[in-house]
Amino acid sequence: MTGNIIFIGFMGAGKTSVGRAVSRRFHMDFLDTDEYIEEKAGMSVSEIFRTAGEDGFRRMETEALQALEKEAENCVISAGGGLPLREENRELLKKLGTVIYLKVSPETVKERLKGDTTRPLLAGPDPEKKIRELLEYREPLYEQAAHYIVDVNGRAPEAIGEEAAQKAGIGI
């Protein structure tokens, strides 16, 4: 292992909040895969989706993981919610470091993202149904990609981060 801890999970699970809390607490660099891809591509994720399509973006995620495997050391990494969907990415994640799946309930997602207009998923007529469907599909894939699972429901990012760091053997 490279001393990296990677947070995966559904949108609203707290990957970025928990990741930043762990990064501060243990004096580690923080990296968000979507921001990394945006920087490399010179455009936003939504622009990449518009110009290269979802398949193009998913290829960029794989390329980012391949590069990070060589570059990242002692980092906290927040992975995009869809990144673990590809089998190749799930394998790359495990090579990159200790993968923690932040498990979140549909109710918590709905509550945390209420009023968030930046998520296309929530723009539909029944966002809660869409959240449930996507979670049902993605959950087994998140579990396959993870070394450990941490429940986030009703918990503060710092408490989640402490449990995740303990499981990953960071700060011990």
Side-chain angles (χ1 to χ4, degrees), residues 43 46-53 60:
M43 62 179 93
S46 54
E47 289 174 296
I48 296 168
F49 265 80
R50 260 196 316 278
T51 59
M60 289 179 180

Side-chain angles (χ1 to χ4, degrees), residues 12 58 82 99 135 172:
R58 298 296 174 209
V99 183
L135 268 174
I172 296 173

Side-chain angles (χ1 to χ4, degrees), residues 80-97:
L83 190 144
L85 300 182
R86 291 178 98 179
E87 184 176 352
E88 181 179 9
N89 290 353
R90 292 191 297 275
E91 292 169 14
L92 286 166
L93 282 165
K94 284 191 171 181
K95 289 180 185 175
L96 183 57

Side-chain angles (χ1 to χ4, degrees), residues 97-155:
T98 303
V99 183
I100 308 286
Y101 166 35
L102 299 181
K103 188 171 181 162
V104 64
S105 72
E107 296 78 17
T108 299
V109 172
K110 183 180 172 199
E111 180 60 33
R112 287 183 179 175
L113 300 181
K114 186 172 42 186
D116 185 339
T117 58
T118 65
R119 316 249 183 188
L121 173 67
L122 301 179
D126 192 351
E128 189 170 354
K129 180 181 178 205
K130 187 69 172 171
I131 289 166
R132 287 182 188 285
E133 289 170 352
L134 282 171
L135 268 174
E136 186 176 323
Y137 169 73
R138 290 182 177 188
E139 191 160 31
L141 302 176
Y142 291 147
E143 289 173 358
Q144 283 175 24
H147 292 104
Y148 302 102
I149 299 171
V150 175
D151 187 289
V152 303
N153 297 295
R155 300 176 68 198

